[in-house]
């Protein structure tokens, strides 16, 4: 596999990066392994110096990093800068969050003994990363994992090599800056690894790799989990989502409709936590739908490097073609497109903002994840029907609930089979709380206290108190 970038706005090839040779791959794994042996013995303050220096490096390269996002995967430039800024913010916040999350948990402290849990690093972790948030997805794994004392080896998506190389340059700059500030800071074991897909099974099996995380499809997640399980390696999987956006009769409809547009079209609709199924109670369905369709129709589609653009192209031709088929199959099954629904007249890999209604239960738009600016809207009778429809999916990542009634909100929170519920807000990720899902949306958590601990060994330590005569 060659790492090959194509400008999705034009379909024109940009550049290629060859994968590491077997000898180069082995040397990189050995380098990270050796660096991690030192890194695990250093203290939190020195690890934090690297993370803080990384934030400075990212900020210094903000425009170049953002430009790569627009060129290689079509992210609108305003959103591209926001992704870099979010990574910088993570580097600023994470050291304090890690210090709290990784501190010993004291379980027992009495006259007989002291019992606590220490969070020890596992080793080097392989991260198989996606193309939709190439920086944020990589760093929201890497930063907590490094602060826990681990090494990280990041395999970037095949379509975004330019941004991956620049991110690796930022890692190198941060290592140099941390050492210049404090010569006792060891090299942070953090590297991009251009590893071909066909070689990943062997890397996972390598004894120097302690765990693996993947952000991607449920099909890829099953394979990685199977290989890792064979070798008894720790796994964290962040997979797909078909997140419900539930609008109940007492919701603020104007606010809900405006946020629905934003929630469906974040990253041009290419986000696992983008709202995808809009489940609206009958009493407010017509008003919500009219406002929502108007909002989707008004979005500006265009050149991702134009600051006025709100919707850029789909990142790759294959993803665009898959989305076309899902929508066509849904319309053939009986769904109707109130806006969008066709790529006729569009160059590059663009797909227009689309709203589908009257969707049969067995249509792709009802059961599958649609990765692009396509919204599926469903009319339901009441709260119970809304919850049932929301749970009727193989995925379980996030859910957004819109209601003014705290009792009804609690009912939804308890009944929804997802990893995250947001009330009167769209679903977002944040370093302070855990991110992840259930069912085919994956396993394990990123971010928050749980995410900082995922790739650690929770070591139980009991110290008996000696009798006074033996002290």
């Amino acid at each position: 596999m060659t790492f090959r970038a194509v400008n999705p706005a034009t379909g024109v090839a940009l550049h290629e990066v060859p994968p590491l040779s077997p000898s180069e791959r082995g040397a990189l794994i050995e380098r990270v392994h050796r660096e991690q042996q030192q890194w695990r013995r250093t203290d939190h303050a020195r690890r934090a110096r690297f993370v803080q220096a990384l934030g400075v490096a990212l900020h210094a390269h903000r425009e170049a990093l953002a430009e790569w996002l627009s060129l290689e995967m079509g992210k609108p430039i305003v959103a591209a800068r926001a992704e870099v800024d979010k990574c910088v913010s993570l580097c600023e916040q994470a050291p304090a969050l890690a210090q709290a999350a990784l501190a010993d948990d004291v379980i027992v402290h009495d006259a007989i003994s002291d019992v606590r849990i220490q969070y020890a690093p596992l080793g080097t972790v392989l991260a198989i990363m996606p193309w939709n948030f190439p920086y944020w997805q990589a760093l929201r794994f890497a930063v907590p994992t490094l602060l826990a004392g681990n090494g990280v080896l990041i395999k970037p998506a095949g379509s975004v090599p330019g941004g991956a190389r620049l991110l690796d340059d930022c890692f190198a700059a941060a290592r140099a800056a941390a050492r210049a500030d404090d010569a006792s800071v060891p090299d942070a074991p953090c590297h991009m690894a251009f590893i071909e897909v066909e070689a990943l099974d062997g890397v996972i099996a390598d004894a120097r790799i302690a765990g693996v995380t993947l952000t991607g499809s449920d099909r890829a997640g099953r394979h990685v989990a199977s290989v890792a399980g064979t070798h008894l390696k720790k796994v964290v999987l962040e997979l797909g989502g078909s997140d419900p956006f539930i609008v109940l009769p007492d919701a603020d409809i104007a606010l809900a409709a405006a946020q629905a547009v934003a929630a469906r079209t974040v990253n041009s609709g290419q986000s696992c936590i983008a709202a995808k199924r809009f489940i609206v109670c009958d009493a407010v369905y017509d008003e919500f739908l009219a406002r929502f369709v108007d909002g989707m129709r008004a979005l500006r589609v265009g050149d991702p490097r134009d600051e006025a653009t709100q919707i850029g192209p789909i990142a790759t031709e294959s993803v665009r073609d898959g989305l076309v088929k899902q929508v066509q199959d849904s319309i053939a099954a009986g769904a109707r497109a109130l806006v969008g629904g066709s790529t006729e007249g569009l160059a590059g890999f663009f797909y227009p903002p689309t709203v589908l209604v009257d969707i049969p239960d067995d249509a792709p738009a009802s059961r599958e994840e649609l990765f692009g600016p396509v919204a599926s809207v469903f009319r339901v009778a009441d709260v119970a029907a809304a919850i049932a429809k929301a749970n009727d999916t193989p995925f379980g990542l996030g859910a957004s609930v819109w209601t003014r009634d705290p009792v009804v909100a609690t009912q939804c929170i308890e009944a929804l089979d997802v990893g995250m519920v947001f009330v009167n807000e769209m679903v977002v990720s944040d370093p302070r709380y855990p991110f992840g899902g259930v069912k085919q949306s994956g396993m394990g958590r990123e971010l928050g206290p749980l995410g900082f601990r995922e790739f650690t060994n929770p070591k139980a330590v009991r110290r008996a108190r000696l009798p006074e005569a033996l002290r």
Side-chain angles (χ1 to χ4, degrees):
M1 178 191 113
T2 298
F3 291 79
R4 181 173 183 266
V6 173
N7 186 334
T10 63
V12 175
L14 296 171
H15 54 263
E16 296 184 358
V17 174
L20 297 173
S21 68
S23 61
E24 291 171 330
R25 188 168 63 240
L28 181 57
I29 293 171
E30 179 61 23
R31 176 182 176 181
V32 177
H33 176 69
R34 289 197 313 269
E35 289 174 345
Q36 194 272 332
Q37 296 305 300
Q38 281 190 293
W39 185 255
R40 70 179 297 142
R41 293 192 293 271
T42 197
D43 60 18
H44 173 79
R46 289 179 173 83
R47 295 174 192 167
R49 286 185 190 277
F50 168 77
V51 170
Q52 291 159 348
L54 177 58
V56 173
L58 293 169
H59 180 71
H61 293 85
R62 179 179 187 253
E63 287 302 316
L65 288 162
E67 182 73 10
W68 277 119
L69 288 180
S70 290
L71 281 173
E72 292 188 317
M73 59 81 52
K75 193 184 295 283
I77 191 65
V78 172
R81 293 188 188 114
E83 180 173 342
V84 179
D85 291 343
K86 190 170 185 176
C87 294
V88 173
S89 179
L90 170 66
C91 293
E92 293 169 346
Q93 296 181 61
L97 295 172
Q99 191 165 28
L102 299 171
D104 290 1
D105 283 336
V106 178
I107 307 302
V108 177
H109 184 75
D110 57 24
I112 299 173
S113 64
D114 177 287
V115 182
R116 58 186 63 215
I117 299 173
Q118 295 179 349
Y119 296 95
L122 285 184
T124 295
V125 183
L126 170 68
I128 304 168
M129 293 287 97
W131 46 259
N132 58 335
F133 290 92
Y135 309 142
W136 172 244
Q137 297 274 183
L139 292 182
R140 79 181 192 192
F141 148 76
V143 168
T145 305
L146 285 165
L147 286 169
N150 296 293
V152 298
L153 198 61
I154 303 171
K155 184 268 176 196
S159 59
V160 289
R165 287 197 294 190
L166 183 52
L167 185 57
D168 207 29
D169 290 343
C170 290
F171 294 154
R175 280 192 291 270
R179 283 197 307 273
D181 185 53
D182 182 347
S184 69
V185 177
D187 279 343
C190 180
H191 300 274
M192 303 300 297
F194 289 88
I195 301 171
E196 56 192 337
V197 170
E198 295 79 5
L200 288 173
D201 288 7
V203 175
I204 295 170
D206 192 296
R208 294 166 294 185
I209 300 297
V212 59
T213 182
L214 174 136
T215 298
S217 69
D218 56 309
R219 180 181 59 83
R222 288 190 193 94
H223 178 79
V224 166
S226 176
V227 176
T230 298
H231 300 281
L232 298 179
K233 304 289 179 75
K234 169 77 178 188
V235 176
V236 172
L237 302 175
E238 199 278 279
L239 309 178
S242 187
D243 284 12
F245 187 104
I246 301 171
V247 184
L248 301 179
D250 65 334
D252 181 327
I253 301 303
L255 177 61
Q259 286 294 291
V261 174
R264 175 58 281 208
T265 59
V266 61
N267 199 30
S268 302
Q270 301 167 101
S271 170
C272 56
I273 55 169
K276 298 181 176 77
R277 296 177 301 132
F278 297 83
I279 301 167
V280 188
C281 285
D282 182 73
V284 294
Y285 179 88
D286 291 338
E287 180 186 356
F288 173 85
L289 184 61
R291 291 177 180 271
F292 183 49
V293 169
D294 285 347
M296 292 288 281
R297 183 180 286 117
L299 292 168
R300 179 164 178 169
V301 180
D303 183 348
R305 289 176 293 176
D306 183 340
E307 298 207 4
T309 293
Q310 296 167 290
I311 303 294
I314 302 301
T316 69
E317 186 174 19
S318 62
V319 175
R320 191 277 312 273
D321 290 348
L323 183 63
V324 168
K325 185 177 190 307
Q326 287 175 306
V327 173
Q328 289 178 341
D329 289 350
S330 296
I331 291 173
R336 293 188 297 125
L338 299 184
V339 62
S342 171
T343 59
E344 186 176 352
L346 295 177
F349 308 148
F350 285 91
Y351 198 92
T354 297
V355 178
L356 300 177
V357 297
D358 301 337
I359 305 165
D361 288 342
D362 60 349
S366 180
R367 301 289 301 167
E368 299 175 7
E369 179 180 32
L370 274 62
F371 225 54
V374 179
S376 302
V377 185
F378 302 89
R379 185 195 297 261
V380 294
D382 52 25
V383 176
I387 292 171
K389 182 64 179 175
N391 284 336
D392 184 24
T393 173
F395 298 104
L397 190 52
S400 180
V401 178
W402 294 78
T403 177
R404 291 185 173 95
D405 188 332
V407 174
V408 173
T410 298
Q411 176 188 354
C412 293
I413 291 167
E414 294 176 350
L416 289 168
D417 195 10
V418 295
M420 302 171 284
V421 181
F422 284 58
V423 179
N424 296 322
E425 291 184 293
M426 60 185 279
V427 178
V428 296
S429 59
D430 186 291
R432 296 169 296 176
Y433 44 78
F435 181 99
V438 295
K439 300 193 286 189
Q440 291 185 26
S441 287
M443 62 180 73
R445 291 295 182 268
E446 297 175 321
L447 303 176
L450 299 179
F452 281 88
R453 296 171 181 171
E454 275 289 4
F455 289 105
T456 64
N457 167 24
K459 186 183 296 184
V461 178
R462 175 170 174 148
R463 294 178 183 271
R465 301 193 186 284
L466 295 174
E468 185 69 30
L470 298 177
R471 293 179 187 172

